[in-house]
Amino acid sequence: MSLWPIQSWAALEMGELRGLFASIRVSGGKTLITGIAPTVLDAKRPLLIVPANMIKSGQTEAALEDLRLHWYIPRELKIVSYSKLGTLKHADFLEGYAPDLIIADEAQKIRNIYEAACAIKVRRYLEEINPACAFIGLSGTDRKSVV
């Protein structure tokens, strides 16, 4: 099993720039990009943020398990939902976990960095608390809707 051209490009970009923003079509290979990102960036405490329905359905974890049959996908990749991260109860989650890599799947969910609770927390963490933390934003949504 080898990387598709878009995945090769993404790995190169994230490695050179210590981050990535990519709008890649649905079924375009974002899950594998997510899985290999911690290795490419030598992340020790990677965090993947996904929509809650992807956690409830087990979709994300199942896809990563399938990829582990062919790729090294670190088990340290912690998965949390946007909705959980946006609650008052989990206000200090990012500071407590202290990720060195944040991967936002469906990154359009945090595009409003001045009003949405989850987006505000991620922006604050990246800008003020841990500016050395790498960030990867992935989306399958139309580019015009993401930015």
Side-chain angles (χ1 to χ4, degrees):
M1 180 178 261
S2 60
L3 294 174
W4 296 342
I6 192 77
Q7 294 165 324
S8 296
W9 165 82
L12 180 66
E13 287 290 306
M14 74 175 85
E16 288 183 354
L17 302 174
R18 285 215 36 85
L20 174 72
F21 179 81
S23 180
I24 301 172
R25 67 176 174 79
V26 174
S27 299
K30 294 182 295 293
T31 304
L32 182 54
I33 293 167
T34 295
I36 65 172
T39 302
V40 171
L41 294 171
D42 195 30
K44 306 299 182 224
R45 299 182 63 79
L47 177 67
L48 171 60
I49 310 172
V50 300
N53 65 321
M54 292 176 74
I55 292 176
K56 289 176 189 165
S57 71
Q59 178 182 351
T60 300
E61 193 56 49
L64 290 171
E65 278 304 315
D66 287 346
L67 289 172
R68 284 185 177 109
L69 297 173
H70 306 282
W71 298 92
Y72 174 71
I73 310 291
R75 299 220 176 259
E76 297 81 18
L77 181 58
K78 186 170 189 72
I79 304 171
V80 67
S81 71
Y82 289 103
S83 55
K84 177 179 178 178
L85 200 55
T87 63
L88 189 56
K89 180 179 177 182
H90 297 95
D92 297 327
F93 177 85
L94 289 174
E95 291 86 345
Y97 183 65
D100 55 355
L101 167 62
I102 295 175
I103 305 166
D105 188 9
E106 302 301 334
Q108 73 276 7
K109 297 206 176 281
I110 57 170
R111 71 177 175 225
N112 191 344
I113 60 171
Y114 298 106
E115 294 180 17
C118 180
I120 291 168
K121 290 176 186 178
V122 170
R123 179 184 57 84
R124 184 174 158 266
Y125 183 79
L126 293 170
E127 289 179 358
E128 299 171 18
I129 297 168
N130 188 0
C133 179
F135 179 80
I136 295 175
L138 300 171
S139 180
T141 301
D142 178 85
R143 286 179 205 96
K144 293 176 188 168
S145 303
V146 175
V147 187

